[in-house]
Amino acid sequence: MSATAIDTLKMLVRYKAWANALTFDTVMSLPAGEALRQRPTRFGNMVHTLNHVYVVDDIFRHHLQGRKHGYLARNTEQTPALDDLRCAVEEMDRWYIEQVDNWSPEALAQVVHFEFVGGGEGRMTRQEIVLHVVNHATYHRGFVGDMLYQVPFASPANDLPVFLRDHYRQAR
């Protein structure tokens, strides 16, 4: 893996943390009850959708650590409190940033073997896992964005180009 690819992964986990923080800021600023209001979407509401992202991040963190995760599904039955979930997501984002910052090219290329929650064996490199968690979070933040428009509430842009322009390049 070239230095450019490593730098890209470092940037992407920072993008994920920034976009997650922006999303939580937005969801937490909604009128009372809106974040948990049932809507016609896969996970029912904004908080449960964000919880799904956390659960998948945690499942893959366990895979990367070579530990069993104990999840029987890709979400929990109960929706956590928004404040608690935000703290857990922030910790998770810091964990992924720290890992990517400290992995060598050889470590990123290591293959991780695991079992999918729904059954079946999987194998991905650490790099592929990181790309998956970043893309997966982006995908589901899109669902939250759609639910925000149903409130109606306009969410600030959390796209990668905005992050690069306004945050990442300025910090370097």
Side-chain angles (χ1 to χ4, degrees), residues 67-85:
R67 299 184 310 132
K68 296 243 182 249
H69 52 71
Y71 290 101
L72 301 175
R74 289 176 291 277
N75 208 337
T76 57
E77 287 190 32
Q78 300 299 317
T79 303
L82 184 56
D83 288 341
D84 293 342
L85 180 59

Side-chain angles (χ1 to χ4, degrees), residues 27 30 34-35 39 44-50 144 147-148 151:
V27 172
L30 293 172
E34 288 295 337
R39 301 183 193 281
N45 65 59
M46 293 178 211
V47 181
H48 208 63
T49 300
L50 294 170
V144 173
M147 287 183 265
L148 287 167
V151 169

Side-chain angles (χ1 to χ4, degrees), residues 119-140:
E121 293 183 16
R123 64 185 290 278
M124 296 169 75
T125 65
R126 288 179 175 182
Q127 176 184 350
E128 291 166 340
I129 289 172
V130 170
L131 290 172
H132 168 63
V133 297
V134 170
N135 285 324
H136 178 258
T138 300
Y139 176 74
H140 286 290

Side-chain angles (χ1 to χ4, degrees), residues 3-15:
T4 302
I6 293 171
D7 290 342
T8 299
L9 286 177
K10 288 178 180 182
M11 178 271 297
L12 285 172
V13 291
R14 284 167 172 78
Y15 161 67

